[in-house]
Amino acid sequence: MLRGLQHFFEERISPLLGGAPNEAQVEQRLRLATAALFIEMIRVDFEVTEDERHQLETLVSETLGLDETETRDLLAAAEREVDSSVELFQFTRLIDEAFSPEQKVQVVERLWRIAYADEQVDRLEEHLVRKIANLLHVSHGDYIAAKIAARGA
């Protein structure tokens, strides 16, 4: 397993750290940033439930079009990135620059879905979604619409 993660990092993440990235590298960097935001969401209240973890895996797979192995590999890499990061801006900047307004709203909605996974939204979770929505330049109306859509999902 460790060899598989090392291979994933060498093949997909390491090239992102230097030089001008090609299209595939940009896409992988966006995947990593999106997964990192989702991980921040499940960790924000200091209690990661099985429901939240399952919702995280489902949403990463759906959002990024990955199979089960790719999802787990990406989440492992994203968790390492989150553990070593000191701010959200490095993740949100990439998404803000590359995603359409609709895609940004979709990210916010999925953050809400993670928050609702354990059927209770902590104030820290709500604060984090608001902060990310602001960094992604999602309007307040779209933020509320994403929250309502996630609650009904």
Side-chain angles (χ1 to χ4, degrees):
M1 181 174 150
L2 184 57
R3 187 177 301 231
L5 291 175
Q6 182 179 8
H7 176 72
F8 177 85
F9 186 81
E10 289 171 355
E11 292 291 314
R12 296 190 179 181
I13 306 304
S14 292
L16 303 179
L17 302 178
N22 63 32
E23 189 175 323
Q25 291 170 327
V26 170
E27 181 179 339
Q28 186 58 29
R29 189 178 288 170
L30 287 169
R31 286 179 173 181
L32 185 63
T34 303
L37 291 181
F38 291 171
I39 288 168
E40 289 280 7
M41 193 68 221
I42 68 168
R43 290 180 173 183
V44 72
D45 65 356
F46 304 104
E47 183 181 331
V48 179
T49 67
E50 236 358 86
D51 289 336
E52 288 174 322
R53 187 71 187 180
H54 177 71
Q55 183 74 289
L56 170 70
E57 290 174 3
T58 300
L59 292 175
V60 166
S61 177
E62 286 176 3
T63 303
L64 304 175
L66 303 175
D67 66 28
E68 188 176 324
T69 301
E70 291 172 322
T71 297
R72 287 192 179 139
D73 289 347
L74 179 63
L75 285 173
E79 286 186 270
R80 287 190 301 275
E81 285 293 316
V82 168
D83 289 342
S84 67
S85 72
V86 293
E87 63 181 350
L88 292 173
F89 185 72
Q90 70 186 49
F91 305 123
T92 58
R93 179 181 51 87
L94 292 170
I95 294 168
D96 187 44
E97 291 173 358
F99 281 20
S100 69
E102 294 80 17
Q103 289 172 313
K104 293 176 193 179
V105 172
Q106 185 179 52
V107 167
V108 172
E109 179 185 338
R110 292 188 171 169
L111 290 168
W112 277 118
R113 286 176 56 188
I114 292 170
Y116 283 118
D118 62 359
E119 299 181 13
Q120 56 184 352
V121 176
D122 182 271
R123 65 180 174 77
L124 294 172
E125 292 172 321
E126 188 163 357
H127 174 75
L128 182 61
V129 179
R130 182 72 237 161
K131 182 176 182 176
I132 291 170
N134 283 336
L135 290 169
L136 296 179
H137 300 98
V138 171
S139 72
H140 184 70
D142 286 339
Y143 165 83
I144 296 299
K147 183 176 184 179
I148 291 167
R151 191 180 303 164

PDB file of all heavy atoms in Angstrom, residues 65-103:
ATOM      1  N   GLY A  65     -15.162  12.429 -10.764  1.00  0.00           N
ATOM      2  CA  GLY A  65     -15.253  11.325 -11.716  1.00  0.00           C
ATOM      3  C   GLY A  65     -14.177  10.274 -11.523  1.00  0.00           C
ATOM      4  O   GLY A  65     -13.576   9.805 -12.497  1.00  0.00           O
ATOM      5  N   LEU A  66     -13.932   9.887 -10.270  1.00  0.00           N
ATOM      6  CA  LEU A  66     -12.874   8.930  -9.966  1.00  0.00           C
ATOM      7  C   LEU A  66     -13.454   7.590  -9.529  1.00  0.00           C
ATOM      8  O   LEU A  66     -14.540   7.539  -8.956  1.00  0.00           O
ATOM      9  CB  LEU A  66     -11.993   9.468  -8.828  1.00  0.00           C
ATOM     10  CG  LEU A  66     -11.348  10.830  -9.050  1.00  0.00           C
ATOM     11  CD1 LEU A  66     -10.617  11.278  -7.797  1.00  0.00           C
ATOM     12  CD2 LEU A  66     -10.418  10.797 -10.242  1.00  0.00           C
ATOM     13  N   ASP A  67     -12.696   6.530  -9.771  1.00  0.00           N
ATOM     14  CA  ASP A  67     -13.117   5.231  -9.253  1.00  0.00           C
ATOM     15  C   ASP A  67     -12.692   5.121  -7.792  1.00  0.00           C
ATOM     16  O   ASP A  67     -12.070   6.037  -7.236  1.00  0.00           O
ATOM     17  CB  ASP A  67     -12.568   4.080 -10.109  1.00  0.00           C
ATOM     18  CG  ASP A  67     -11.050   3.943 -10.077  1.00  0.00           C
ATOM     19  OD1 ASP A  67     -10.406   4.328  -9.069  1.00  0.00           O
ATOM     20  OD2 ASP A  67     -10.488   3.444 -11.068  1.00  0.00           O
ATOM     21  N   GLU A  68     -13.006   3.997  -7.171  1.00  0.00           N
ATOM     22  CA  GLU A  68     -12.758   3.836  -5.737  1.00  0.00           C
ATOM     23  C   GLU A  68     -11.277   3.951  -5.374  1.00  0.00           C
ATOM     24  O   GLU A  68     -10.912   4.627  -4.413  1.00  0.00           O
ATOM     25  CB  GLU A  68     -13.300   2.473  -5.283  1.00  0.00           C
ATOM     26  CG  GLU A  68     -13.269   2.275  -3.794  1.00  0.00           C
ATOM     27  CD  GLU A  68     -13.911   0.953  -3.385  1.00  0.00           C
ATOM     28  OE1 GLU A  68     -14.900   0.544  -4.018  1.00  0.00           O
ATOM     29  OE2 GLU A  68     -13.410   0.349  -2.420  1.00  0.00           O
ATOM     30  N   THR A  69     -10.418   3.327  -6.151  1.00  0.00           N
ATOM     31  CA  THR A  69      -8.982   3.374  -5.875  1.00  0.00           C
ATOM     32  C   THR A  69      -8.434   4.782  -6.061  1.00  0.00           C
ATOM     33  O   THR A  69      -7.677   5.289  -5.224  1.00  0.00           O
ATOM     34  CB  THR A  69      -8.217   2.381  -6.784  1.00  0.00           C
ATOM     35  OG1 THR A  69      -8.735   1.073  -6.544  1.00  0.00           O
ATOM     36  CG2 THR A  69      -6.730   2.406  -6.510  1.00  0.00           C
ATOM     37  N   GLU A  70      -8.818   5.430  -7.158  1.00  0.00           N
ATOM     38  CA  GLU A  70      -8.364   6.808  -7.398  1.00  0.00           C
ATOM     39  C   GLU A  70      -8.858   7.741  -6.301  1.00  0.00           C
ATOM     40  O   GLU A  70      -8.124   8.637  -5.875  1.00  0.00           O
ATOM     41  CB  GLU A  70      -8.872   7.292  -8.757  1.00  0.00           C
ATOM     42  CG  GLU A  70      -8.238   6.610  -9.942  1.00  0.00           C
ATOM     43  CD  GLU A  70      -8.900   6.974 -11.259  1.00  0.00           C
ATOM     44  OE1 GLU A  70     -10.143   7.113 -11.295  1.00  0.00           O
ATOM     45  OE2 GLU A  70      -8.170   7.124 -12.254  1.00  0.00           O
ATOM     46  N   THR A  71     -10.085   7.522  -5.848  1.00  0.00           N
ATOM     47  CA  THR A  71     -10.642   8.357  -4.784  1.00  0.00           C
ATOM     48  C   THR A  71      -9.832   8.210  -3.507  1.00  0.00           C
ATOM     49  O   THR A  71      -9.456   9.202  -2.883  1.00  0.00           O
ATOM     50  CB  THR A  71     -12.120   7.986  -4.521  1.00  0.00           C
ATOM     51  OG1 THR A  71     -12.869   8.251  -5.707  1.00  0.00           O
ATOM     52  CG2 THR A  71     -12.699   8.772  -3.361  1.00  0.00           C
ATOM     53  N   ARG A  72      -9.551   6.994  -3.133  1.00  0.00           N
ATOM     54  CA  ARG A  72      -8.772   6.761  -1.897  1.00  0.00           C
ATOM     55  C   ARG A  72      -7.363   7.338  -2.020  1.00  0.00           C
ATOM     56  O   ARG A  72      -6.839   7.928  -1.072  1.00  0.00           O
ATOM     57  CB  ARG A  72      -8.736   5.279  -1.574  1.00  0.00           C
ATOM     58  CG  ARG A  72     -10.061   4.787  -1.056  1.00  0.00           C
ATOM     59  CD  ARG A  72      -9.956   3.414  -0.457  1.00  0.00           C
ATOM     60  NE  ARG A  72     -11.278   3.030   0.027  1.00  0.00           N
ATOM     61  CZ  ARG A  72     -11.796   1.840  -0.109  1.00  0.00           C
ATOM     62  NH1 ARG A  72     -11.099   0.877  -0.679  1.00  0.00           N
ATOM     63  NH2 ARG A  72     -12.992   1.567   0.348  1.00  0.00           N
ATOM     64  N   ASP A  73      -6.734   7.149  -3.176  1.00  0.00           N
ATOM     65  CA  ASP A  73      -5.389   7.690  -3.377  1.00  0.00           C
ATOM     66  C   ASP A  73      -5.394   9.213  -3.305  1.00  0.00           C
ATOM     67  O   ASP A  73      -4.519   9.822  -2.674  1.00  0.00           O
ATOM     68  CB  ASP A  73      -4.823   7.243  -4.730  1.00  0.00           C
ATOM     69  CG  ASP A  73      -4.476   5.753  -4.778  1.00  0.00           C
ATOM     70  OD1 ASP A  73      -4.439   5.097  -3.712  1.00  0.00           O
ATOM     71  OD2 ASP A  73      -4.249   5.245  -5.892  1.00  0.00           O
ATOM     72  N   LEU A  74      -6.370   9.820  -3.953  1.00  0.00           N
ATOM     73  CA  LEU A  74      -6.462  11.278  -3.936  1.00  0.00           C
ATOM     74  C   LEU A  74      -6.724  11.786  -2.527  1.00  0.00           C
ATOM     75  O   LEU A  74      -6.112  12.764  -2.087  1.00  0.00           O
ATOM     76  CB  LEU A  74      -7.560  11.768  -4.884  1.00  0.00           C
ATOM     77  CG  LEU A  74      -7.753  13.289  -4.913  1.00  0.00           C
ATOM     78  CD1 LEU A  74      -6.501  13.996  -5.424  1.00  0.00           C
ATOM     79  CD2 LEU A  74      -8.954  13.646  -5.768  1.00  0.00           C
ATOM     80  N   LEU A  75      -7.616  11.138  -1.797  1.00  0.00           N
ATOM     81  CA  LEU A  75      -7.910  11.565  -0.436  1.00  0.00           C
ATOM     82  C   LEU A  75      -6.688  11.437   0.471  1.00  0.00           C
ATOM     83  O   LEU A  75      -6.442  12.313   1.310  1.00  0.00           O
ATOM     84  CB  LEU A  75      -9.092  10.789   0.139  1.00  0.00           C
ATOM     85  CG  LEU A  75     -10.448  11.203  -0.405  1.00  0.00           C
ATOM     86  CD1 LEU A  75     -11.542  10.269   0.100  1.00  0.00           C
ATOM     87  CD2 LEU A  75     -10.770  12.642  -0.055  1.00  0.00           C
ATOM     88  N   ALA A  76      -5.918  10.384   0.290  1.00  0.00           N
ATOM     89  CA  ALA A  76      -4.695  10.233   1.079  1.00  0.00           C
ATOM     90  C   ALA A  76      -3.721  11.374   0.786  1.00  0.00           C
ATOM     91  O   ALA A  76      -3.137  11.966   1.706  1.00  0.00           O
ATOM     92  CB  ALA A  76      -4.048   8.881   0.802  1.00  0.00           C
ATOM     93  N   ALA A  77      -3.559  11.694  -0.489  1.00  0.00           N
ATOM     94  CA  ALA A  77      -2.674  12.801  -0.870  1.00  0.00           C
ATOM     95  C   ALA A  77      -3.214  14.133  -0.360  1.00  0.00           C
ATOM     96  O   ALA A  77      -2.463  14.975   0.132  1.00  0.00           O
ATOM     97  CB  ALA A  77      -2.501  12.838  -2.389  1.00  0.00           C
ATOM     98  N   ALA A  78      -4.524  14.320  -0.463  1.00  0.00           N
ATOM     99  CA  ALA A  78      -5.140  15.569  -0.005  1.00  0.00           C
ATOM    100  C   ALA A  78      -5.013  15.711   1.513  1.00  0.00           C
ATOM    101  O   ALA A  78      -4.788  16.816   2.015  1.00  0.00           O
ATOM    102  CB  ALA A  78      -6.605  15.616  -0.424  1.00  0.00           C
ATOM    103  N   GLU A  79      -5.145  14.612   2.233  1.00  0.00           N
ATOM    104  CA  GLU A  79      -4.985  14.679   3.692  1.00  0.00           C
ATOM    105  C   GLU A  79      -3.568  15.101   4.058  1.00  0.00           C
ATOM    106  O   GLU A  79      -3.380  15.889   4.989  1.00  0.00           O
ATOM    107  CB  GLU A  79      -5.356  13.346   4.333  1.00  0.00           C
ATOM    108  CG  GLU A  79      -6.865  13.137   4.322  1.00  0.00           C
ATOM    109  CD  GLU A  79      -7.302  11.901   5.072  1.00  0.00           C
ATOM    110  OE1 GLU A  79      -7.375  10.830   4.440  1.00  0.00           O
ATOM    111  OE2 GLU A  79      -7.575  12.031   6.280  1.00  0.00           O
ATOM    112  N   ARG A  80      -2.589  14.598   3.326  1.00  0.00           N
ATOM    113  CA  ARG A  80      -1.209  15.032   3.586  1.00  0.00           C
ATOM    114  C   ARG A  80      -1.054  16.524   3.298  1.00  0.00           C
ATOM    115  O   ARG A  80      -0.383  17.244   4.039  1.00  0.00           O
ATOM    116  CB  ARG A  80      -0.228  14.214   2.741  1.00  0.00           C
ATOM    117  CG  ARG A  80      -0.062  12.782   3.223  1.00  0.00           C
ATOM    118  CD  ARG A  80       1.100  12.076   2.529  1.00  0.00           C
ATOM    119  NE  ARG A  80       0.977  12.017   1.082  1.00  0.00           N
ATOM    120  CZ  ARG A  80       0.309  11.079   0.411  1.00  0.00           C
ATOM    121  NH1 ARG A  80      -0.307  10.119   1.058  1.00  0.00           N
ATOM    122  NH2 ARG A  80       0.280  11.107  -0.908  1.00  0.00           N
ATOM    123  N   GLU A  81      -1.674  16.992   2.216  1.00  0.00           N
ATOM    124  CA  GLU A  81      -1.618  18.420   1.881  1.00  0.00           C
ATOM    125  C   GLU A  81      -2.267  19.265   2.975  1.00  0.00           C
ATOM    126  O   GLU A  81      -1.723  20.291   3.379  1.00  0.00           O
ATOM    127  CB  GLU A  81      -2.310  18.697   0.544  1.00  0.00           C
ATOM    128  CG  GLU A  81      -1.535  18.272  -0.658  1.00  0.00           C
ATOM    129  CD  GLU A  81      -0.268  19.091  -0.859  1.00  0.00           C
ATOM    130  OE1 GLU A  81      -0.311  20.332  -0.732  1.00  0.00           O
ATOM    131  OE2 GLU A  81       0.761  18.474  -1.137  1.00  0.00           O
ATOM    132  N   VAL A  82      -3.417  18.840   3.447  1.00  0.00           N
ATOM    133  CA  VAL A  82      -4.124  19.570   4.506  1.00  0.00           C
ATOM    134  C   VAL A  82      -3.286  19.591   5.770  1.00  0.00           C
ATOM    135  O   VAL A  82      -3.172  20.626   6.439  1.00  0.00           O
ATOM    136  CB  VAL A  82      -5.518  18.954   4.756  1.00  0.00           C
ATOM    137  CG1 VAL A  82      -6.145  19.506   6.035  1.00  0.00           C
ATOM    138  CG2 VAL A  82      -6.438  19.214   3.569  1.00  0.00           C
ATOM    139  N   ASP A  83      -2.687  18.449   6.111  1.00  0.00           N
ATOM    140  CA  ASP A  83      -1.863  18.372   7.318  1.00  0.00           C
ATOM    141  C   ASP A  83      -0.679  19.326   7.269  1.00  0.00           C
ATOM    142  O   ASP A  83      -0.244  19.829   8.305  1.00  0.00           O
ATOM    143  CB  ASP A  83      -1.362  16.939   7.542  1.00  0.00           C
ATOM    144  CG  ASP A  83      -2.468  15.983   7.962  1.00  0.00           C
ATOM    145  OD1 ASP A  83      -3.544  16.454   8.405  1.00  0.00           O
ATOM    146  OD2 ASP A  83      -2.264  14.758   7.832  1.00  0.00           O
ATOM    147  N   SER A  84      -0.160  19.575   6.074  1.00  0.00           N
ATOM    148  CA  SER A  84       1.015  20.443   5.960  1.00  0.00           C
ATOM    149  C   SER A  84       0.669  21.890   5.599  1.00  0.00           C
ATOM    150  O   SER A  84       1.553  22.738   5.569  1.00  0.00           O
ATOM    151  CB  SER A  84       1.989  19.870   4.928  1.00  0.00           C
ATOM    152  OG  SER A  84       1.430  19.920   3.638  1.00  0.00           O
ATOM    153  N   SER A  85      -0.593  22.173   5.336  1.00  0.00           N
ATOM    154  CA  SER A  85      -0.965  23.538   4.947  1.00  0.00           C
ATOM    155  C   SER A  85      -1.285  24.372   6.185  1.00  0.00           C
ATOM    156  O   SER A  85      -1.616  23.846   7.233  1.00  0.00           O
ATOM    157  CB  SER A  85      -2.165  23.533   4.011  1.00  0.00           C
ATOM    158  OG  SER A  85      -3.330  23.202   4.722  1.00  0.00           O
ATOM    159  N   VAL A  86      -1.193  25.668   6.013  1.00  0.00           N
ATOM    160  CA  VAL A  86      -1.514  26.576   7.107  1.00  0.00           C
ATOM    161  C   VAL A  86      -2.718  27.459   6.800  1.00  0.00           C
ATOM    162  O   VAL A  86      -3.170  28.199   7.668  1.00  0.00           O
ATOM    163  CB  VAL A  86      -0.297  27.471   7.477  1.00  0.00           C
ATOM    164  CG1 VAL A  86       0.816  26.631   8.069  1.00  0.00           C
ATOM    165  CG2 VAL A  86       0.186  28.263   6.281  1.00  0.00           C
ATOM    166  N   GLU A  87      -3.228  27.362   5.575  1.00  0.00           N
ATOM    167  CA  GLU A  87      -4.354  28.199   5.201  1.00  0.00           C
ATOM    168  C   GLU A  87      -5.159  27.574   4.074  1.00  0.00           C
ATOM    169  O   GLU A  87      -4.671  26.732   3.338  1.00  0.00           O
ATOM    170  CB  GLU A  87      -3.873  29.585   4.783  1.00  0.00           C
ATOM    171  CG  GLU A  87      -2.983  29.554   3.553  1.00  0.00           C
ATOM    172  CD  GLU A  87      -2.466  30.914   3.144  1.00  0.00           C
ATOM    173  OE1 GLU A  87      -2.938  31.913   3.692  1.00  0.00           O
ATOM    174  OE2 GLU A  87      -1.602  30.967   2.273  1.00  0.00           O
ATOM    175  N   LEU A  88      -6.406  27.999   3.952  1.00  0.00           N
ATOM    176  CA  LEU A  88      -7.295  27.526   2.897  1.00  0.00           C
ATOM    177  C   LEU A  88      -6.993  28.177   1.557  1.00  0.00           C
ATOM    178  O   LEU A  88      -7.309  27.616   0.506  1.00  0.00           O
ATOM    179  CB  LEU A  88      -8.755  27.842   3.249  1.00  0.00           C
ATOM    180  CG  LEU A  88      -9.367  27.104   4.407  1.00  0.00           C
ATOM    181  CD1 LEU A  88     -10.737  27.676   4.716  1.00  0.00           C
ATOM    182  CD2 LEU A  88      -9.471  25.632   4.081  1.00  0.00           C
ATOM    183  N   PHE A  89      -6.403  29.359   1.594  1.00  0.00           N
ATOM    184  CA  PHE A  89      -6.235  30.156   0.386  1.00  0.00           C
ATOM    185  C   PHE A  89      -5.506  29.406  -0.717  1.00  0.00           C
ATOM    186  O   PHE A  89      -5.838  29.545  -1.899  1.00  0.00           O
ATOM    187  CB  PHE A  89      -5.526  31.472   0.703  1.00  0.00           C
ATOM    188  CG  PHE A  89      -5.440  32.391  -0.476  1.00  0.00           C
ATOM    189  CD1 PHE A  89      -6.568  33.041  -0.950  1.00  0.00           C
ATOM    190  CD2 PHE A  89      -4.235  32.580  -1.128  1.00  0.00           C
ATOM    191  CE1 PHE A  89      -6.501  33.887  -2.053  1.00  0.00           C
ATOM    192  CE2 PHE A  89      -4.152  33.425  -2.232  1.00  0.00           C
ATOM    193  CZ  PHE A  89      -5.286  34.069  -2.693  1.00  0.00           C
ATOM    194  N   GLN A  90      -4.516  28.584  -0.366  1.00  0.00           N
ATOM    195  CA  GLN A  90      -3.776  27.864  -1.411  1.00  0.00           C
ATOM    196  C   GLN A  90      -4.686  26.926  -2.186  1.00  0.00           C
ATOM    197  O   GLN A  90      -4.458  26.675  -3.364  1.00  0.00           O
ATOM    198  CB  GLN A  90      -2.596  27.103  -0.818  1.00  0.00           C
ATOM    199  CG  GLN A  90      -2.991  25.909   0.045  1.00  0.00           C
ATOM    200  CD  GLN A  90      -1.803  25.294   0.726  1.00  0.00           C
ATOM    201  OE1 GLN A  90      -1.003  25.990   1.343  1.00  0.00           O
ATOM    202  NE2 GLN A  90      -1.676  23.985   0.633  1.00  0.00           N
ATOM    203  N   PHE A  91      -5.740  26.410  -1.550  1.00  0.00           N
ATOM    204  CA  PHE A  91      -6.685  25.528  -2.224  1.00  0.00           C
ATOM    205  C   PHE A  91      -7.768  26.327  -2.950  1.00  0.00           C
ATOM    206  O   PHE A  91      -8.086  26.047  -4.096  1.00  0.00           O
ATOM    207  CB  PHE A  91      -7.331  24.567  -1.227  1.00  0.00           C
ATOM    208  CG  PHE A  91      -6.338  23.769  -0.422  1.00  0.00           C
ATOM    209  CD1 PHE A  91      -6.349  23.823   0.953  1.00  0.00           C
ATOM    210  CD2 PHE A  91      -5.387  22.972  -1.047  1.00  0.00           C
ATOM    211  CE1 PHE A  91      -5.439  23.088   1.703  1.00  0.00           C
ATOM    212  CE2 PHE A  91      -4.473  22.236  -0.306  1.00  0.00           C
ATOM    213  CZ  PHE A  91      -4.501  22.293   1.075  1.00  0.00           C
ATOM    214  N   THR A  92      -8.313  27.325  -2.271  1.00  0.00           N
ATOM    215  CA  THR A  92      -9.419  28.079  -2.868  1.00  0.00           C
ATOM    216  C   THR A  92      -8.958  28.930  -4.049  1.00  0.00           C
ATOM    217  O   THR A  92      -9.727  29.130  -4.991  1.00  0.00           O
ATOM    218  CB  THR A  92     -10.116  28.978  -1.824  1.00  0.00           C
ATOM    219  OG1 THR A  92      -9.158  29.870  -1.251  1.00  0.00           O
ATOM    220  CG2 THR A  92     -10.791  28.140  -0.750  1.00  0.00           C
ATOM    221  N   ARG A  93      -7.746  29.405  -4.019  1.00  0.00           N
ATOM    222  CA  ARG A  93      -7.235  30.227  -5.127  1.00  0.00           C
ATOM    223  C   ARG A  93      -7.257  29.440  -6.433  1.00  0.00           C
ATOM    224  O   ARG A  93      -7.694  29.953  -7.467  1.00  0.00           O
ATOM    225  CB  ARG A  93      -5.819  30.715  -4.830  1.00  0.00           C
ATOM    226  CG  ARG A  93      -5.215  31.553  -5.941  1.00  0.00           C
ATOM    227  CD  ARG A  93      -3.804  32.001  -5.622  1.00  0.00           C
ATOM    228  NE  ARG A  93      -2.936  30.915  -5.207  1.00  0.00           N
ATOM    229  CZ  ARG A  93      -2.229  30.145  -6.061  1.00  0.00           C
ATOM    230  NH1 ARG A  93      -2.279  30.370  -7.339  1.00  0.00           N
ATOM    231  NH2 ARG A  93      -1.464  29.175  -5.598  1.00  0.00           N
ATOM    232  N   LEU A  94      -6.810  28.190  -6.384  1.00  0.00           N
ATOM    233  CA  LEU A  94      -6.799  27.359  -7.592  1.00  0.00           C
ATOM    234  C   LEU A  94      -8.206  27.159  -8.134  1.00  0.00           C
ATOM    235  O   LEU A  94      -8.456  27.278  -9.333  1.00  0.00           O
ATOM    236  CB  LEU A  94      -6.179  25.990  -7.288  1.00  0.00           C
ATOM    237  CG  LEU A  94      -4.695  25.978  -6.962  1.00  0.00           C
ATOM    238  CD1 LEU A  94      -4.285  24.604  -6.453  1.00  0.00           C
ATOM    239  CD2 LEU A  94      -3.885  26.372  -8.172  1.00  0.00           C
ATOM    240  N   ILE A  95      -9.132  26.851  -7.234  1.00  0.00           N
ATOM    241  CA  ILE A  95     -10.518  26.618  -7.637  1.00  0.00           C
ATOM    242  C   ILE A  95     -11.150  27.896  -8.145  1.00  0.00           C
ATOM    243  O   ILE A  95     -11.831  27.906  -9.169  1.00  0.00           O
ATOM    244  CB  ILE A  95     -11.314  26.009  -6.464  1.00  0.00           C
ATOM    245  CG1 ILE A  95     -10.777  24.607  -6.155  1.00  0.00           C
ATOM    246  CG2 ILE A  95     -12.808  25.972  -6.760  1.00  0.00           C
ATOM    247  CD1 ILE A  95     -11.284  24.022  -4.861  1.00  0.00           C
ATOM    248  N   ASP A  96     -10.906  28.998  -7.446  1.00  0.00           N
ATOM    249  CA  ASP A  96     -11.494  30.276  -7.841  1.00  0.00           C
ATOM    250  C   ASP A  96     -11.036  30.695  -9.238  1.00  0.00           C
ATOM    251  O   ASP A  96     -11.824  31.219 -10.021  1.00  0.00           O
ATOM    252  CB  ASP A  96     -11.137  31.354  -6.820  1.00  0.00           C
ATOM    253  CG  ASP A  96     -11.851  32.667  -7.073  1.00  0.00           C
ATOM    254  OD1 ASP A  96     -13.070  32.637  -7.367  1.00  0.00           O
ATOM    255  OD2 ASP A  96     -11.208  33.725  -6.980  1.00  0.00           O
ATOM    256  N   GLU A  97      -9.794  30.434  -9.559  1.00  0.00           N
ATOM    257  CA  GLU A  97      -9.256  30.833 -10.863  1.00  0.00           C
ATOM    258  C   GLU A  97      -9.715  29.921 -11.999  1.00  0.00           C
ATOM    259  O   GLU A  97      -9.824  30.367 -13.135  1.00  0.00           O
ATOM    260  CB  GLU A  97      -7.723  30.844 -10.812  1.00  0.00           C
ATOM    261  CG  GLU A  97      -7.162  31.958  -9.948  1.00  0.00           C
ATOM    262  CD  GLU A  97      -5.649  31.876  -9.765  1.00  0.00           C
ATOM    263  OE1 GLU A  97      -5.020  30.919 -10.283  1.00  0.00           O
ATOM    264  OE2 GLU A  97      -5.103  32.766  -9.095  1.00  0.00           O
ATOM    265  N   ALA A  98      -9.991  28.664 -11.695  1.00  0.00           N
ATOM    266  CA  ALA A  98     -10.250  27.695 -12.763  1.00  0.00           C
ATOM    267  C   ALA A  98     -11.714  27.304 -12.933  1.00  0.00           C
ATOM    268  O   ALA A  98     -12.122  26.945 -14.035  1.00  0.00           O
ATOM    269  CB  ALA A  98      -9.426  26.434 -12.525  1.00  0.00           C
ATOM    270  N   PHE A  99     -12.499  27.349 -11.877  1.00  0.00           N
ATOM    271  CA  PHE A  99     -13.875  26.862 -11.956  1.00  0.00           C
ATOM    272  C   PHE A  99     -14.827  27.959 -12.411  1.00  0.00           C
ATOM    273  O   PHE A  99     -14.623  29.139 -12.132  1.00  0.00           O
ATOM    274  CB  PHE A  99     -14.341  26.354 -10.590  1.00  0.00           C
ATOM    275  CG  PHE A  99     -13.845  24.980 -10.218  1.00  0.00           C
ATOM    276  CD1 PHE A  99     -12.741  24.396 -10.818  1.00  0.00           C
ATOM    277  CD2 PHE A  99     -14.488  24.260  -9.233  1.00  0.00           C
ATOM    278  CE1 PHE A  99     -12.296  23.146 -10.460  1.00  0.00           C
ATOM    279  CE2 PHE A  99     -14.055  22.995  -8.869  1.00  0.00           C
ATOM    280  CZ  PHE A  99     -12.962  22.438  -9.476  1.00  0.00           C
ATOM    281  N   SER A 100     -15.879  27.539 -13.085  1.00  0.00           N
ATOM    282  CA  SER A 100     -16.947  28.466 -13.469  1.00  0.00           C
ATOM    283  C   SER A 100     -17.752  28.819 -12.213  1.00  0.00           C
ATOM    284  O   SER A 100     -17.656  28.119 -11.196  1.00  0.00           O
ATOM    285  CB  SER A 100     -17.879  27.799 -14.487  1.00  0.00           C
ATOM    286  OG  SER A 100     -18.627  26.756 -13.853  1.00  0.00           O
ATOM    287  N   PRO A 101     -18.551  29.887 -12.267  1.00  0.00           N
ATOM    288  CA  PRO A 101     -19.394  30.215 -11.114  1.00  0.00           C
ATOM    289  C   PRO A 101     -20.294  29.045 -10.695  1.00  0.00           C
ATOM    290  O   PRO A 101     -20.472  28.796  -9.497  1.00  0.00           O
ATOM    291  CB  PRO A 101     -20.217  31.412 -11.597  1.00  0.00           C
ATOM    292  CG  PRO A 101     -19.351  32.059 -12.625  1.00  0.00           C
ATOM    293  CD  PRO A 101     -18.643  30.919 -13.318  1.00  0.00           C
ATOM    294  N   GLU A 102     -20.815  28.317 -11.664  1.00  0.00           N
ATOM    295  CA  GLU A 102     -21.682  27.171 -11.357  1.00  0.00           C
ATOM    296  C   GLU A 102     -20.905  26.068 -10.649  1.00  0.00           C
ATOM    297  O   GLU A 102     -21.414  25.437  -9.719  1.00  0.00           O
ATOM    298  CB  GLU A 102     -22.322  26.620 -12.639  1.00  0.00           C
ATOM    299  CG  GLU A 102     -23.294  27.572 -13.312  1.00  0.00           C
ATOM    300  CD  GLU A 102     -22.601  28.660 -14.152  1.00  0.00           C
ATOM    301  OE1 GLU A 102     -21.392  28.533 -14.498  1.00  0.00           O
ATOM    302  OE2 GLU A 102     -23.273  29.666 -14.450  1.00  0.00           O
ATOM    303  N   GLN A 103     -19.678  25.824 -11.071  1.00  0.00           N
ATOM    304  CA  GLN A 103     -18.856  24.799 -10.437  1.00  0.00           C
ATOM    305  C   GLN A 103     -18.495  25.200  -9.002  1.00  0.00           C
ATOM    306  O   GLN A 103     -18.444  24.357  -8.117  1.00  0.00           O
ATOM    307  CB  GLN A 103     -17.584  24.552 -11.244  1.00  0.00           C
ATOM    308  CG  GLN A 103     -17.827  23.850 -12.563  1.00  0.00           C
ATOM    309  CD  GLN A 103     -16.574  23.812 -13.416  1.00  0.00           C
ATOM    310  OE1 GLN A 103     -15.891  24.825 -13.589  1.00  0.00           O
ATOM    311  NE2 GLN A 103     -16.268  22.638 -13.957  1.00  0.00           N
TER     312      GLN A 103
END
